Amino acid sequence: MNTPETPRHPLPPFTLETARQKVRAAEDAWNQRDPSKVALAYTPESRWRNRAEIFQGRAAIQAFLERKWAREQEYRLIKEIWAHDGHRIAVRFAYEWRDDAGHWFRAYGNENWEFDANGFMAVRHASINDLPIRPEERKFHWPLGRRPDAHPGLSELGL
């Protein structure tokens, strides 16, 4: 499952530190909400399960992300490492978003990632649940884009 592209560091096998770097890089990319750039972190044939959707390939990933971020407005995400081993990383995450009617949600979930030798994600399995929240229950208030380093993570927020 290797790609001929420039490797995406850090590379497996992951240490705790390099796995944390990979998780933060993914969080940062997703918070930028640029489907074409995010899709480049995955192998050309990457396989995904996201909620009830199963699809494969960068074009499908990009199309999925375009639909996702058109629907999930004011999207802000925090990821936290759960476990790592060799070329795999498990994360838990939460993100907040609102729909076009102004209703807020917090999505909670877990992802299992598998990487190729060049650091591209080859497999992504995501299980996600949405919880409606009131605007005053929101916890993610940074400006759209990358979460500031000083902003608390999931554990610090009690999530």
Side-chain angles (χ1 to χ4, degrees):
M1 293 188 142
N2 290 329
T3 66
E5 299 160 301
T6 303
R8 292 186 70 93
H9 293 275
L11 304 177
F14 297 111
T15 64
L16 178 58
E17 181 57 32
T18 60
R20 283 185 176 143
Q21 291 170 8
K22 203 69 154 176
V23 170
R24 183 60 194 237
E27 175 188 315
D28 291 349
W30 280 61
N31 275 325
Q32 294 302 318
R33 296 171 296 132
D34 184 333
S36 62
K37 286 185 180 177
V38 171
L40 293 176
Y42 303 90
T43 63
E45 67 282 352
S46 185
R47 296 184 324 265
W48 276 36
R49 183 186 55 75
N50 194 89
R51 301 179 193 252
E53 291 187 62
I54 298 172
F55 49 94
Q56 185 170 357
R58 282 189 182 152
I61 292 167
Q62 182 173 336
F64 167 81
L65 293 172
E66 288 168 356
R67 290 190 314 274
K68 172 185 180 61
W69 290 323
R71 178 176 177 262
E72 296 176 352
Q73 300 169 19
E74 298 193 49
Y75 177 94
R76 291 170 178 86
L77 165 72
I78 300 176
K79 292 182 181 283
E80 184 175 280
I81 190 166
W82 186 255
H84 71 92
D85 183 32
H87 64 286
R88 293 183 174 141
I89 299 175
V91 299
R92 66 187 200 94
F93 63 88
Y95 63 89
E96 293 180 349
W97 62 281
R98 70 168 178 79
D99 64 17
D100 57 5
H103 301 112
W104 281 94
F105 299 87
R106 186 175 303 120
Y108 295 95
N110 298 292
E111 293 175 313
N112 297 313
W113 301 342
E114 183 176 307
F115 293 87
D116 74 2
N118 287 324
F120 290 86
M121 195 180 300
V123 179
R124 176 183 175 269
H125 296 282
S127 298
I128 307 167
N129 297 297
D130 291 309
L131 174 69
I133 59 173
R134 295 185 310 273
E136 60 271 17
E137 294 175 298
R138 291 180 53 224
K139 295 180 182 275
F140 304 173
H141 295 284
W142 67 86
L144 289 176
R146 186 181 190 276
R147 176 174 56 100
D149 291 335
H151 191 283
L154 295 178
S155 293
E156 294 84 6
L157 290 168
L159 299 174

